Amino acid sequence: MVKDDPSFPPSFPEGGPLAHYRAQASFNWKTMALLLDKEEILRFKYEIWNFLATDPIFAYSPTKRSLHDERRVIMQQTFRIMEKDFLNETKGEIGDPVKVMAMTTALGQYSWSLCTKRSIFMDFFTNAVRGLAKSGYHFDILEKAYKMELTGCVAMTEIGHGTNTKAFRTKATYDTVKGVFILETPDFEAAKCWSGGLGKSTTHAFVMAQLYTPDGQCHGLHGFVVPIRDPLTFLTYPGVTIFDMGEKVGLNGLDNGVMLFDNYAIKRESLLNKTGSVSGDGIYISPFKDPNKRFGAALGNTSAARAAIITMCAANLASAVTISIRYSAVRRQFSATNASEELPVIEYQMQQWRLFPYLAAAYVIKFVGDSIYQDFVNFIMSSFNTDIDPELISNWGIEIHVLSSSGKPIGGWLARDAIQESREACGGHGYLRSAGIGVLRDDHDANVTYEGDNNVLLQQTSNWLLTIYSNPHRSELIDKMPMGTLSFLRIESVFHNLKFTGEMTPQSLLSSYKWLVYYLLQTTAEKVATQQTNGSDSFTSKNQSQVYFARTLAIAFIEHYCLDVFWNKLVQHQDAEIRTVLTKLMLLYGYWSLEKHLGTLYQGGHCNGDDGNVIREGILKLCEQLKPEAIALVDAIAPPDFVLNSALGNSDGEVYKHLRSAMMMTPRGFERDDYWKDIVEVMTMKGKL
Amino acid sequence: MVKDDPSFPPSFPEGGPLAHYRAQASFNWKTMALLLDKEEILRFKYEIWNFLATDPIFAYSPTKRSLHDERRVIMQQTFRIMEKDFLNETKGEIGDPVKVMAMTTALGQYSWSLCTKRSIFMDFFTNAVRGLAKSGYHFDILEKAYKMELTGCVAMTEIGHGTNTKAFRTKATYDTVKGVFILETPDFEAAKCWSGGLGKSTTHAFVMAQLYTPDGQCHGLHGFVVPIRDPLTFLTYPGVTIFDMGEKVGLNGLDNGVMLFDNYAIKRESLLNKTGSVSGDGIYISPFKDPNKRFGAALGNTSAARAAIITMCAANLASAVTISIRYSAVRRQFSATNASEELPVIEYQMQQWRLFPYLAAAYVIKFVGDSIYQDFVNFIMSSFNTDIDPELISNWGIEIHVLSSSGKPIGGWLARDAIQESREACGGHGYLRSAGIGVLRDDHDANVTYEGDNNVLLQQTSNWLLTIYSNPHRSELIDKMPMGTLSFLRIESVFHNLKFTGEMTPQSLLSSYKWLVYYLLQTTAEKVATQQTNGSDSFTSKNQSQVYFARTLAIAFIEHYCLDVFWNKLVQHQDAEIRTVLTKLMLLYGYWSLEKHLGTLYQGGHCNGDDGNVIREGILKLCEQLKPEAIALVDAIAPPDFVLNSALGNSDGEVYKHLRSAMMMTPRGFERDDYWKDIVEVMTMKGKL
């Protein structure tokens, strides 16, 4: 069915075990790949990937490296990447944000430790400092950081507080006599931790601390630039204690550290004073009247990280389904009586249903992640434009915040589940390190926690929805939102009594979701109100309305948003074959997600009688229709073989050859191990046991 | 509320961060612990646990050991355990099966690699050989294996075939001239693999191979005892190629191996000829007329392993919820406005809902696993009794098979999900290796795959249910089942139009489940019939009726069975407080599981209107009621601190102290790492980048 074959991206070798399914696709996978990433961006990714593949420093290890070795190797790799300087970053150029994101995923699909370590040196510290920088000293620090004349980390989280950032307890007290801030960690629970790069590799830290003036008053959290290690000896300064947090489930190339301050003096200029400063005689001065606003500004805009994580999740979804779906097309098991050959397991409805919804999700989340990230970039650019109404910017920022606060959780959980289902769907061989799924799971696992625990983050979205909903002027508020995220609520009456029609089309799917969001909004608001009527305070009422209500509301809201964005993008595409297959992906992801709400759809009266069965049969039919497309769909989102690094997921489909090679690479795999003598001793001289 | 305090199991130290919740329980946790395990069994477990805790060879490593070191250490530990010989096994005594199981979980909660390695030497090979042994040579091999004069492994799975065991391709061809079998591995896909202990530590293998007579006829799979390594030099024999499978996601203390035969001759006696033998002149003789029966017998009774895995899953559930629930009672985050202290996160409805259903599941699966295991033991004992009707034994065997084939999947998935939810519910600190959750996840992960892939195994249960259902004499068949697993179907008409009453009681729960099983049985049978009417063969019809039908049927069936067993056990208990809390656990696990079927309950008319909301509110209420019981419930199922080995889950609740200790144990954690000089060079001599 492939009509033409553009020279880029590179073609797969002809023949082999995947050729049969590859040939069945109704669309050209290269066209699809170039729809997912612009050619310039995809070429840039290949430039990075090719660089990794041809330099032995990036060779994979057949066994997990020791903690120490992993740290060392990742550091070397990071230097090599920075030396190559794909974005001219170390020359101080601020790159195209889309390219920065492309580099993040391209490196991340190879190693999330490497990706993150580069970001520590290049992005995290500088972004944190830049957001609050005001004085020449701060810009000097920034300049040095960009040029790698110093290395910095971000120290926010404390041992006792992560989610509740306002409760951080590290103290910075101004000393009028010496003209310095004294940093103090009151106890171990207030020690800074999880800070990436702090453990072993940075000279400076961006530290969030409670600012105290000499009068004993606390002015809330402020950022400080803190020198922590001598840049020549790399020894920590007296008054600073740093140690490595130790081994983690994943991301072990990162040296997360713990830091305690003991009466540690830093100069007055260390305070990043954009949101508040202290005069030489100890008077606190702030441009903000409202401490809440100062707090918001001080914490900085964290949407960037969350928006980026959505795309990182899409990359992990892509890696997971590439491995499991390619393997499923090659692995054969069982056959009908009298059949000459066993069936590839992809032929089984069960296997399709286990994996194809995640393939669909990989597409949807990739589109949506890129879209939210682009919205974020546009928002940031616009926020520098003084001609634009500040209220519009503020509302825009809220919408971005709300989308990233629910987009990250569902992206994170979808990838988590896709990885686990892929592990299981690959059977025993999926349990081998060489399958590549275990490492993916371990590294991905952090995404559901950092930059906000998923369940807590979802409350950012549901709280906003409830606030808008309960506002008597909600139509006006909805209209003021520049992204139009909630505009469908303007015609809410339409959705009151909407019924599932039995048709499974994009329009019908979006309508069902609109009904669901509206129903959940209504019932959640009622639930909160009932709690309050019964005497609970606002904090308790909200907490008691999370499970089955606010939490589900936020999930349904973002699922609808994802489908809406995907649909609006896909209808624009000129290639009818591409539109057809993307529509199937949308329907599969959408109805598979909607089916998880089936109980609620019935309870609220949207579904009746046999509707559930209709939806379920529809999902299975979509799986069947996507079977001939599955390998080409995977080809369009798969990273190159070297980067994927899975014996099961190679593009040539030669699963058993790669498995053999991988197993035969086991160090001392053919040798007797030292303990053979012990076994012989036990067997021959029975006295030992 | 605690009335008396028996001296066993040992008490926890008084005071500390958990004391507050510990004191709130309505029951005595020691009474509960002694309900879960008989005192003799629990004392036996403590004997093992205390032994581990006091011998430095069992000390934990703060970082993951290298593949090589892990293998070596686990081998040493295995020898130490065998030397201690808790069950007098190496003296040839056949221990109390309940004690064998207790040892499995007691060792497993410390290390599943150690537990399994011991079983390889003591159980797996000998069980496999014993089941098919007939000649003196076989019993001689067995005797030597029991005495550790030889070490054996079981070689079943091949690279290309695991689930479809009938399709194994290793060949054993009888050579009349030399009087030997010639073993041959036709290609790499037929190589034996995954065999634990094969990689490095065994001299013999139980090998499943297709038996060919010189006339070229294949007589199907047979077992062979095959010498693979010289017991003095430990070198593999010529004609045998063995290599290590390499690193895995977990269980890296186990040396899984790959083995290929190249024209390798073994003597005629090597054939385990209980199910078929070959005469000196190459004639095949079998006591079985029906090759299907021979196949069944040859594969042996695999229920033992699956029944054991259910209890292993219960142990992993217990470890996971111990860590996350104790941590949740200590970890504080956020508070109502103006509150002086932050709330322990266990106070949040969301956290309760995330964890307590798994706590309930830990109890239910523990009861049910022990029950199925005991049924299996009784069945085996009875099968030796020639006075018992063979048909009864056969039906009994089927029931055990059906229960273990669905009990293992739901136990495996529940523990998998409990571990993951615990990881996430512990936030960032749950991501530390010292939290103990990552290792648990990696090791547990194998349970959903080995001894039968979960999704495929479920078909054993659903196929049987469908066979019984479609039999015109089904009432008689149901009555013949000695365990009465399906007896509720005798009164099926009662369930046709049963409605959820709005009451949430054990009886109502069991009725809802009976309705559900019956509904799914009916609709699945219809679905299969429709497929067949439309021209599909039996194989395809079943495959096309798995998702949402047969698969869900098997899950609902075993969920009902678990609740039924749990209810029947708990009502017998004399202590009213224990009965009350167990009833709550049953209701929570039961309704939480039922809620996942809510769409189907509505579709089939069992639920109507607001019923879903009633069930959901009931679940949340049960969570709230279990909050004061949660710590004591965990105390009753928790292994001792040394065995749990989690900085977050210690019984003293001193989370932050243990975290600090764990982090400070990181090797070279306070030192500069080697690469500090590289960083300094980059910072000072800009030429490097």
Side-chain angles (χ1 to χ4, degrees):
Chain A
M1 296 294 283
V2 174
K3 281 178 285 187
D4 45 5
D5 195 43
S7 64
F8 180 80
S11 301
F12 299 112
E14 292 197 10
L18 289 173
H20 171 69
Y21 288 107
R22 195 164 268 152
Q24 290 180 21
S26 65
F27 66 96
N28 186 312
W29 74 267
K30 294 187 180 186
T31 311
M32 185 68 91
L34 292 168
L35 167 67
L36 293 163
D37 284 314
K38 278 188 222 153
E39 180 162 347
E40 179 202 358
I41 295 299
L42 194 58
R43 283 192 185 274
F44 178 61
K45 285 188 177 179
Y46 269 87
E47 186 190 340
I48 295 169
W49 286 332
N50 291 337
F51 176 72
L52 298 174
T54 47
D55 187 331
I57 206 173
F58 297 106
Y60 281 102
S61 162
T63 53
K64 183 173 171 167
R65 294 187 195 100
S66 71
L67 182 62
H68 177 76
D69 282 352
E70 180 70 4
R71 297 275 176 80
R72 191 177 44 74
V73 170
I74 293 292
M75 188 71 245
Q76 288 169 347
Q77 292 179 349
T78 305
F79 281 140
R80 190 62 55 94
I81 291 290
M82 290 168 67
E83 187 181 6
K84 179 75 182 169
D85 204 11
F86 287 98
L87 291 167
N88 298 323
E89 293 170 301
T90 61
K91 293 171 195 71
E93 286 189 25
I94 293 184
D96 170 7
V98 177
K99 275 198 162 179
V100 173
M101 193 64 233
M103 179 149 81
T104 299
T105 51
L107 288 178
Q109 287 188 298
Y110 167 77
S111 158
W112 289 111
S113 284
L114 169 60
C115 164
T116 313
K117 189 104 189 194
R118 189 209 68 86
S119 297
I120 285 168
F121 289 139
M122 287 288 103
D123 302 331
F124 296 170
F125 174 77
T126 51
N127 286 348
V129 173
R130 197 177 52 224
L132 299 173
K134 203 172 170 197
S135 76
Y137 172 65
H138 305 154
F139 292 105
D140 186 42
I141 290 276
L142 271 178
E143 179 77 14
K144 285 186 176 161
Y146 286 128
K147 290 188 184 159
M148 274 290 285
E149 289 171 19
L150 61 81
T151 54
C153 60
V154 176
M156 304 267 286
T157 301
E158 297 177 356
I159 293 284
H161 289 96
T163 302
N164 187 6
T165 46
K166 285 193 194 183
F168 290 158
R169 289 165 54 235
T170 300
K171 282 171 110 169
T173 309
Y174 188 65
D175 180 327
T176 320
V177 179
K178 296 184 185 149
V180 296
F181 285 101
I182 304 293
L183 291 175
E184 186 70 34
T185 303
D187 53 40
F188 178 68
E189 290 180 41
K192 291 294 177 189
C193 64
W194 282 111
S195 170
L198 170 63
K200 300 288 182 191
S201 41
T202 47
T203 59
H204 286 69
F206 168 91
V207 174
M208 269 287 173
Q210 303 286 357
L211 191 158
Y212 284 80
T213 37
D215 57 5
Q217 209 191 324
C218 177
H219 301 274
L221 284 179
H222 286 71
F224 297 83
V225 173
V226 183
I228 54 175
R229 283 188 178 95
D230 183 314
L232 291 177
T233 66
F234 239 68
L235 293 169
T236 49
Y237 289 117
V240 183
T241 301
I242 297 174
F243 53 93
D244 194 295
M245 276 195 96
E247 192 160 316
K248 305 178 297 287
V249 166
L251 297 176
N252 277 305
L254 274 196
D255 49 322
N256 300 80
V258 179
M259 176 162 59
L260 297 97
F261 299 110
D262 176 14
N263 194 20
Y264 182 58
I266 51 173
K267 56 183 176 178
R268 189 158 72 98
E269 291 73 24
S270 305
L271 172 63
L272 291 154
N273 55 344
K274 199 171 183 179
T275 61
S277 57
V278 176
S279 68
D281 51 354
I283 309 298
Y284 182 76
I285 312 141
S286 169
F288 294 96
K289 295 255 157 65
D290 177 354
N292 273 321
K293 281 197 181 156
R294 189 172 69 239
F295 174 71
L299 270 185
N301 197 326
T302 53
S303 289
R306 285 199 298 273
I309 292 173
I310 304 175
T311 302
M312 288 156 62
C313 293
N316 286 341
L317 271 160
S319 297
V321 297
T322 298
I323 296 170
S324 53
I325 292 179
R326 282 184 179 157
Y327 180 66
S328 297
V330 176
R331 178 74 172 180
R332 290 166 183 268
Q333 208 79 185
F334 292 109
S335 58
T337 328
N338 305 324
S340 63
E341 271 195 313
E342 290 181 290
L343 283 175
V345 296
I346 202 175
E347 293 291 334
Y348 293 97
Q349 184 190 70
M350 176 84 83
Q351 195 81 352
Q352 295 164 13
W353 173 75
R354 290 171 72 180
L355 299 176
F356 292 176
Y358 294 112
L359 171 62
Y363 272 77
V364 173
I365 300 300
K366 162 75 175 147
F367 269 83
V368 173
D370 286 350
S371 166
I372 293 178
Y373 183 76
Q374 188 61 58
D375 287 328
F376 172 75
V377 170
N378 296 344
F379 156 70
I380 291 289
M381 297 302 174
S382 306
S383 69
F384 296 138
N385 185 342
T386 48
D387 292 342
I388 298 181
D389 177 12
E391 195 189 352
L392 185 143
I393 294 294
S394 167
N395 284 332
W396 197 352
I398 290 172
E399 279 189 292
I400 297 273
H401 175 72
V402 162
L403 292 174
S404 70
S405 294
S406 43
K408 188 220 114 171
I410 68 148
W413 282 329
L414 277 167
R416 172 197 72 181
D417 295 342
I419 292 166
Q420 184 63 29
E421 198 64 62
S422 291
R423 208 306 281 148
E424 297 181 29
C426 290
H429 298 335
Y431 196 61
L432 290 169
R433 176 181 156 85
S434 58
I437 310 178
V439 175
L440 189 60
R441 180 171 74 187
D442 288 342
D443 285 355
H444 175 74
D445 203 18
N447 285 320
V448 301
T449 300
Y450 57 25
E451 299 299 330
D453 168 81
N454 276 3
N455 282 295
V456 179
L457 260 190
L458 287 173
Q459 299 181 30
Q460 297 290 317
T461 300
S462 57
N463 286 346
W464 179 69
L465 292 171
L466 291 167
T467 305
I468 298 274
Y469 181 76
S470 65
N471 192 303
H473 308 289
R474 72 164 171 257
S475 295
E476 288 162 51
L477 285 177
I478 289 168
D479 287 343
K480 278 185 185 168
M481 293 296 151
M483 293 176 67
T485 327
L486 267 191
S487 45
F488 69 86
L489 277 184
R490 278 185 302 224
I491 42 164
E492 61 193 56
S493 60
V494 176
F495 302 107
H496 264 296
N497 296 306
L498 193 80
K499 307 279 177 202
F500 173 65
T501 59
E503 260 187 285
M504 289 172 72
T505 61
Q507 293 78 4
S508 169
L509 173 63
L510 290 169
S511 291
S512 288
Y513 257 106
K514 286 184 174 75
W515 177 90
L516 180 65
V517 175
Y518 187 74
Y519 176 79
L520 287 166
L521 196 45
Q522 209 175 10
T523 51
T524 305
E526 281 165 18
K527 169 105 179 177
V528 175
T530 310
Q531 302 279 328
Q532 286 177 326
T533 311
N534 295 342
S536 295
D537 61 19
S538 155
F539 176 78
T540 310
S541 301
K542 278 207 179 132
N543 288 335
Q544 297 292 101
S545 308
Q546 288 302 315
V547 181
Y548 301 127
F549 290 92
R551 179 179 182 275
T552 316
L553 166 64
I555 291 172
F557 165 78
I558 193 68
E559 284 170 351
H560 169 263
Y561 180 80
C562 290
L563 291 164
D564 199 42
V565 166
F566 193 71
W567 175 239
N568 285 323
K569 294 242 169 184
L570 86 85
V571 288
Q572 291 166 22
H573 203 264
Q574 55 185 11
D575 183 333
E577 288 148 355
I578 294 275
R579 279 203 310 275
T580 304
V581 73
L582 287 178
T583 304
K584 284 177 187 159
L585 290 171
M586 174 199 176
L587 290 174
L588 178 58
Y589 168 70
Y591 278 105
W592 174 81
S593 301
L594 188 72
E595 196 270 343
K596 296 182 197 295
H597 301 283
L598 194 56
T600 305
L601 296 175
Y602 271 107
Q603 177 174 276
H606 183 69
C607 281
N608 291 285
D610 204 38
D611 287 350
N613 208 23
V614 172
I615 292 173
R616 288 168 171 176
E617 291 290 346
I619 291 168
L620 296 175
K621 203 171 165 189
L622 285 162
C623 286
E624 200 181 327
Q625 290 171 356
L626 283 166
K627 189 189 71 184
E629 319 284 4
I631 292 301
L633 284 169
V634 155
D635 287 342
I637 56 174
D641 293 337
F642 174 81
V643 173
L644 187 65
N645 189 34
S646 164
L648 307 183
N650 262 267
S651 60
D652 63 8
E654 296 289 1
V655 166
Y656 298 114
K657 288 182 183 166
H658 291 291
L659 265 179
R660 178 164 52 183
S661 302
M663 291 191 285
M664 290 171 78
M665 285 292 288
T666 306
R668 310 197 225 174
F670 285 83
E671 289 173 36
R672 290 174 294 186
D673 220 326
D674 313 343
Y675 53 74
W676 75 271
K677 290 175 197 162
D678 300 326
I679 306 178
V680 171
E681 272 183 30
V682 166
M683 293 196 303
T684 51
M685 321 188 317
K686 294 299 311 331
K688 252 224 127 175
L689 273 189
Chain B
M1 294 293 284
V2 174
K3 282 177 286 189
D4 47 7
D5 194 42
S7 64
F8 181 81
S11 301
F12 298 111
E14 291 194 13
L18 289 174
H20 170 72
Y21 288 108
R22 196 165 266 153
Q24 290 180 17
S26 64
F27 66 97
N28 186 311
W29 74 267
K30 294 188 179 186
T31 312
M32 185 67 91
L34 292 167
L35 168 67
L36 293 163
D37 283 315
K38 279 189 221 153
E39 181 162 346
E40 179 202 359
I41 295 298
L42 193 58
R43 283 191 186 275
F44 177 62
K45 284 187 179 179
Y46 268 88
E47 186 190 340
I48 295 169
W49 285 332
N50 292 336
F51 176 73
L52 298 175
T54 48
D55 187 331
I57 204 173
F58 296 105
Y60 281 101
S61 162
T63 52
K64 183 173 172 170
R65 294 186 195 101
S66 72
L67 181 63
H68 178 76
D69 282 352
E70 179 70 6
R71 297 276 175 81
R72 190 177 45 74
V73 170
I74 292 291
M75 187 72 244
Q76 288 168 346
Q77 292 179 347
T78 306
F79 281 140
R80 190 62 56 92
I81 291 291
M82 290 168 68
E83 188 181 7
K84 179 75 181 169
D85 204 11
F86 288 98
L87 290 167
N88 298 322
E89 293 169 302
T90 61
K91 294 171 195 71
E93 285 188 27
I94 292 183
D96 170 6
V98 177
K99 276 198 161 180
V100 174
M101 194 64 233
M103 179 148 83
T104 299
T105 51
L107 288 178
Q109 286 187 299
Y110 166 77
S111 158
W112 289 112
S113 283
L114 169 60
C115 164
T116 312
K117 188 102 189 196
R118 189 210 68 87
S119 298
I120 285 167
F121 288 140
M122 286 289 101
D123 302 331
F124 296 170
F125 175 77
T126 52
N127 286 349
V129 172
R130 196 175 55 224
L132 298 173
K134 201 172 172 197
S135 75
Y137 171 65
H138 305 154
F139 292 104
D140 185 42
I141 290 276
L142 271 177
E143 179 78 14
K144 285 184 175 161
Y146 285 129
K147 291 185 184 160
M148 273 291 283
E149 289 171 21
L150 63 82
T151 53
C153 60
V154 176
M156 303 268 284
T157 301
E158 297 177 357
I159 294 283
H161 289 95
T163 302
N164 187 6
T165 47
K166 284 192 194 182
F168 290 158
R169 288 164 56 235
T170 300
K171 282 170 108 170
T173 308
Y174 188 65
D175 179 328
T176 321
V177 180
K178 295 183 184 154
V180 297
F181 284 100
I182 303 294
L183 290 176
E184 186 69 35
T185 303
D187 52 40
F188 178 68
E189 289 180 42
K192 292 293 178 190
C193 64
W194 283 112
S195 170
L198 170 63
K200 299 288 182 189
S201 43
T202 47
T203 59
H204 287 68
F206 168 91
V207 174
M208 269 286 172
Q210 302 286 358
L211 191 159
Y212 283 79
T213 37
D215 56 7
Q217 210 191 325
C218 176
H219 300 274
L221 283 179
H222 286 70
F224 297 83
V225 173
V226 182
I228 54 173
R229 283 188 178 94
D230 184 315
L232 293 177
T233 65
F234 238 68
L235 294 168
T236 50
Y237 288 118
V240 183
T241 301
I242 297 175
F243 54 91
D244 196 295
M245 275 195 98
E247 192 161 316
K248 304 177 298 285
V249 166
L251 297 176
N252 277 306
L254 275 195
D255 49 322
N256 301 80
V258 179
M259 176 162 59
L260 297 97
F261 299 110
D262 175 12
N263 194 20
Y264 182 58
I266 52 172
K267 57 183 176 177
R268 188 156 73 98
E269 290 73 23
S270 306
L271 171 64
L272 290 154
N273 55 346
K274 200 171 182 179
T275 60
S277 57
V278 176
S279 69
D281 52 355
I283 309 299
Y284 183 77
I285 312 140
S286 169
F288 294 96
K289 293 257 157 61
D290 177 356
N292 273 322
K293 283 198 179 156
R294 186 170 73 236
F295 174 72
L299 268 186
N301 196 326
T302 53
S303 290
R306 284 198 298 272
I309 292 172
I310 303 175
T311 302
M312 288 155 62
C313 293
N316 287 342
L317 271 160
S319 298
V321 296
T322 299
I323 296 169
S324 53
I325 292 178
R326 283 184 179 156
Y327 180 66
S328 297
V330 177
R331 177 75 172 180
R332 290 166 185 269
Q333 208 79 184
F334 293 108
S335 58
T337 326
N338 305 324
S340 63
E341 270 195 313
E342 290 181 292
L343 283 175
V345 295
I346 201 174
E347 294 290 335
Y348 293 98
Q349 185 190 70
M350 177 83 86
Q351 193 82 351
Q352 296 164 12
W353 173 74
R354 289 171 73 180
L355 298 176
F356 292 178
Y358 294 113
L359 171 61
Y363 273 78
V364 173
I365 300 299
K366 162 75 175 148
F367 268 84
V368 173
D370 286 350
S371 166
I372 293 177
Y373 183 75
Q374 188 62 58
D375 286 328
F376 172 75
V377 170
N378 296 344
F379 156 70
I380 291 289
M381 296 301 175
S382 306
S383 69
F384 296 137
N385 184 341
T386 49
D387 292 344
I388 298 180
D389 178 12
E391 195 190 352
L392 185 142
I393 294 294
S394 165
N395 284 333
W396 198 350
I398 290 171
E399 279 188 294
I400 297 273
H401 174 72
V402 162
L403 292 173
S404 69
S405 295
S406 43
K408 189 221 114 171
I410 69 148
W413 281 328
L414 277 167
R416 172 198 70 181
D417 295 341
I419 293 166
Q420 183 63 29
E421 198 64 60
S422 291
R423 208 305 281 148
E424 297 180 30
C426 290
H429 298 336
Y431 196 62
L432 289 169
R433 176 181 157 87
S434 58
I437 310 179
V439 175
L440 189 60
R441 180 172 73 186
D442 287 343
D443 284 355
H444 175 73
D445 202 18
N447 285 320
V448 302
T449 301
Y450 58 25
E451 299 298 330
D453 167 81
N454 276 4
N455 282 296
V456 178
L457 260 189
L458 286 173
Q459 299 182 30
Q460 298 289 317
T461 300
S462 57
N463 285 345
W464 179 70
L465 293 171
L466 291 167
T467 305
I468 297 274
Y469 180 77
S470 65
N471 192 303
H473 307 290
R474 72 165 172 252
S475 297
E476 288 163 51
L477 285 177
I478 288 168
D479 287 344
K480 278 185 184 168
M481 293 296 151
M483 294 176 66
T485 328
L486 267 191
S487 45
F488 70 85
L489 277 184
R490 276 184 304 224
I491 42 164
E492 64 192 56
S493 59
V494 176
F495 302 105
H496 265 295
N497 296 307
L498 192 81
K499 306 279 177 203
F500 174 65
T501 60
E503 261 187 285
M504 289 173 70
T505 62
Q507 293 78 6
S508 170
L509 174 63
L510 290 169
S511 291
S512 288
Y513 257 107
K514 286 184 175 73
W515 178 89
L516 181 64
V517 175
Y518 187 73
Y519 176 79
L520 287 166
L521 196 44
Q522 210 174 8
T523 49
T524 305
E526 280 165 20
K527 169 103 179 177
V528 175
T530 309
Q531 302 281 328
Q532 286 176 326
T533 310
N534 294 343
S536 295
D537 61 20
S538 154
F539 175 78
T540 309
S541 302
K542 279 206 178 132
N543 288 336
Q544 296 292 101
S545 308
Q546 288 301 314
V547 181
Y548 302 125
F549 289 92
R551 180 178 182 275
T552 316
L553 166 64
I555 290 171
F557 165 79
I558 193 69
E559 284 170 351
H560 169 263
Y561 180 82
C562 290
L563 291 164
D564 198 44
V565 166
F566 192 71
W567 175 239
N568 286 322
K569 294 242 168 184
L570 86 87
V571 289
Q572 292 166 22
H573 203 263
Q574 55 185 7
D575 183 332
E577 287 148 355
I578 295 275
R579 278 203 311 276
T580 304
V581 72
L582 287 178
T583 304
K584 284 178 186 154
L585 290 171
M586 176 200 173
L587 290 174
L588 178 58
Y589 168 70
Y591 278 104
W592 174 81
S593 301
L594 189 70
E595 197 268 345
K596 296 182 197 297
H597 301 283
L598 194 56
T600 305
L601 296 175
Y602 271 107
Q603 177 174 278
H606 183 69
C607 281
N608 292 286
D610 204 39
D611 287 351
N613 208 22
V614 172
I615 292 173
R616 288 169 171 176
E617 291 291 346
I619 291 168
L620 296 175
K621 201 170 167 192
L622 285 161
C623 286
E624 200 182 329
Q625 290 172 356
L626 283 166
K627 188 190 72 183
E629 319 284 5
I631 292 301
L633 284 169
V634 154
D635 287 343
I637 56 173
D641 292 337
F642 173 81
V643 172
L644 188 65
N645 189 36
S646 165
L648 307 184
N650 262 267
S651 60
D652 63 7
E654 296 288 2
V655 165
Y656 297 115
K657 289 182 183 167
H658 292 292
L659 265 180
R660 178 165 50 183
S661 301
M663 290 192 284
M664 290 171 79
M665 286 290 289
T666 306
R668 311 197 225 171
F670 286 82
E671 289 173 37
R672 290 175 294 186
D673 220 327
D674 313 344
Y675 52 75
W676 75 270
K677 291 175 198 161
D678 300 327
I679 305 178
V680 171
E681 272 183 32
V682 166
M683 293 194 303
T684 51
M685 320 188 319
K686 294 299 312 329
K688 250 222 130 176
L689 271 189

